[in-house]
Amino acid sequence: MTTLKQATGPAYTRIYSVGAARGENAVPNDDLIGPIDSSDEWIRQRTGIVTRVRANAETDAIDLSTAAAAEAIERSGVAPSDIDLVIVATISNPKQTPSVSAIVADRVGANPAAAYDINAACAGYAYAVAQADALIRAGAAKYAVVIGAEKLSDIVDPTDRSISFLLGDGAGAVVIGPSDTPGISGTVWGSDGSKADAVGMNHTLTEFRDGQAPWPTLRQEGPTVFRWAVWEMAKVAKQALEQAGVEASDLAAFIPHQANMRIVDEFAKQLKLPETTVIARDIETTGNTSAASIPLATHRLLEEHPELSGGLALQIGFGAGLVFGAQVVVLP
Ligand SMILES: CC(C)(COP(=O)(O)OP(=O)(O)OC[C@H]1O[C@@H](n2cnc3c(N)ncnc32)[C@H](O)[C@@H]1OP(=O)(O)O)[C@@H](O)C(=O)NCCC(=O)NCCS
């Protein structure tokens, strides 16, 4: 009997480049506080957000993804036609199907790349990086574009004070490909569906169709998610360092999901990050962009601190599911 030929890939992968696209409009706290009986001061103190980016009505997650991916590809030096895998992490494609990724692959010149979307909420980017790394090393693809993209403003209720004021719109993208040295560590990832009700959509599309509920929007039990993030996710971050075989003091950068500045600060404390580790604080002017938040924060960090290039960064995403994912990467 003939034996099957098994695909194999390179031993290691790395991130080649980052691209970003932010919503066109800066929306300050004062524009949102009326319907939620809040204040600029409360939002700044409790979340660290001063203003968030939101996209124009006609801009969608596909447009944001395309712009971010085009920049990442351009900077990578990889020809668009050599990209054979496009993964988009998103929870805000207004259509169940077709995927964002297939359209983006075509728009950036990567048609007929394998393309699919994943829904792992705010952990989506870390999940997608884990997949691209594994698929390339398995020989299933050579060059991947991984995108985190959200237009969350389509699924916010301006009168909801649990989460709406946190959210922004944008996309961040990276190109991942073969490497001579390790550039992406093993991923610590998982889920806890017993806490599915802690954050997510408040209604189903069929309830909306049947007139039983308004347009579905995001809700959360803020303090539940906050406590889980601070206690459980700090442990996951430490496990990711262990799995990568590095110490907190080896980190050039720490790029956690931009959920709340107080969570970022608490992580930094629990990880005992040294002064020299640069901490991503993109939430202050971008807001929480779910799957887009880590690559957007990475993009900003490299713009503001080009010297971080080649250094190690710990990234950790966590959110609705509940789900989480963390890994250490070499910054492009
Ligand atoms: C949402 C969040 C900012 C709320 O902050 P918090 O400090 O937990 O606030 P609480 O819900 O405990 O409420 C504290 C007080 O502020 C009030 N409050 C709640 N939301 C408010 C708002 N939007 N504006 C003004 N006041 C508000 C509450 O009524 C309460 O008042 P009281 O003390 O008089 O009872 C915070 O819980 C959070 O960031 N959670 C995690 C978010 C996250 O990581 N999500 C992940 C999925 S993306």
Side-chain angles (χ1 to χ4, degrees), residues 33 36-39 42-43 46-47 121-122 152 160-163 165-167 198-200 218 220-229 257-263 288-290 318-320 322:
I33 56 179
I36 55 171
D37 185 24
S38 192
S39 67
W42 190 93
I43 297 176
R46 297 291 179 128
T47 73
C122 309
L152 298 174
D160 161 61
R161 57 192 335 231
S162 77
I163 195 166
F165 59 99
L166 298 172
L167 305 174
V199 50
L218 283 164
Q220 73 171 344
E221 296 165 21
T224 307
V225 180
F226 191 95
R227 279 194 299 273
W228 172 75
H257 168 47
Q258 303 289 295
N260 184 320
M261 197 72 87
R262 285 156 56 214
I263 296 176
N288 175 350
T289 53
S290 192
F318 50 89
L322 299 170

Side-chain angles (χ1 to χ4, degrees), residues 101-119:
S101 50
I103 298 169
V104 172
D106 181 58
R107 285 200 193 166
V108 299
N111 184 339
Y116 60 94
D117 294 0
I118 61 168
N119 176 337

Side-chain angles (χ1 to χ4, degrees), residues 290-310:
S290 192
S293 96
I294 293 174
L296 280 177
T298 306
H299 187 270
R300 169 156 293 166
L301 220 54
L302 288 169
E303 298 276 301
E304 292 174 355
H305 302 274
E307 74 279 5
L308 293 176
S309 175

Side-chain angles (χ1 to χ4, degrees), residues 12-295:
Y12 309 119
T13 69
R14 65 183 170 89
I15 297 174
Y16 288 23
S17 57
V18 192
R22 288 182 164 76
E24 297 89 345
N25 311 298
V27 180
N29 293 336
D30 279 338
D31 286 12
L32 303 180
I33 56 179
I36 55 171
D37 185 24
S38 192
S39 67
D40 176 44
E41 194 196 357
W42 190 93
I43 297 176
R44 282 181 196 236
Q45 274 180 3
R46 297 291 179 128
T47 73
I49 300 172
V50 174
T51 174
R52 76 280 295 131
V53 288
R54 288 197 174 166
N56 291 336
E58 63 278 11
T59 302
D60 61 21
I62 300 170
D63 300 321
L64 293 164
S65 295
T66 304
E71 185 190 356
I73 295 168
E74 159 86 44
R75 290 182 169 193
S76 71
V78 176
S81 54
D82 288 340
I83 306 269
D84 53 2
L85 174 63
V86 176
I87 309 175
V88 177
T90 186
I91 55 164
S92 50
N93 180 9
K95 278 187 186 165
Q96 309 286 93
T97 194
S99 63
V100 172
S101 50
I103 298 169
V104 172
D106 181 58
R107 285 200 193 166
V108 299
N111 184 339
Y116 60 94
D117 294 0
I118 61 168
N119 176 337
C122 309
Y125 174 74
Y127 267 53
V129 167
Q131 290 185 17
D133 165 61
L135 289 169
I136 292 168
R137 286 187 294 109
K142 185 155 188 202
Y143 295 108
V145 175
V146 165
I147 306 167
E150 304 290 3
K151 192 185 182 198
L152 298 174
S153 59
D154 280 343
I155 46 172
V156 300
D157 167 4
T159 68
D160 161 61
R161 57 192 335 231
S162 77
I163 195 166
S164 294
F165 59 99
L166 298 172
L167 305 174
D169 302 332
V174 292
V175 172
I176 296 177
S179 173
D180 294 335
T181 51
I184 298 173
S185 78
T187 298
V188 176
W189 57 346
S191 69
D192 180 2
S194 73
K195 297 194 179 69
D197 290 339
V199 50
M201 304 301 282
N202 59 348
H203 301 297
T204 65
L205 283 170
T206 46
E207 285 166 347
F208 174 63
R209 175 199 62 196
D210 297 341
Q212 293 162 1
W215 174 243
T217 54
L218 283 164
R219 296 292 144 125
Q220 73 171 344
E221 296 165 21
T224 307
V225 180
F226 191 95
R227 279 194 299 273
W228 172 75
V230 165
W231 296 113
E232 301 306 321
M233 292 306 100
K235 287 183 217 160
V236 169
K238 285 177 192 161
Q239 283 165 18
L241 290 179
E242 242 166 70
Q243 178 141 338
V246 305
E247 308 277 336
S249 55
D250 296 324
L251 295 175
F254 175 51
I255 313 177
H257 168 47
Q258 303 289 295
N260 184 320
M261 197 72 87
R262 285 156 56 214
I263 296 176
V264 175
D265 289 334
E266 193 56 42
F267 281 160
K269 223 190 295 168
Q270 292 197 36
L271 288 170
K272 300 194 174 64
L273 293 179
E275 296 269 309
T276 47
T277 304
V278 182
I279 300 170
R281 297 184 182 283
D282 191 37
I283 189 171
E284 185 177 5
T285 52
T286 299
N288 175 350
T289 53
S290 192
S293 96
I294 293 174

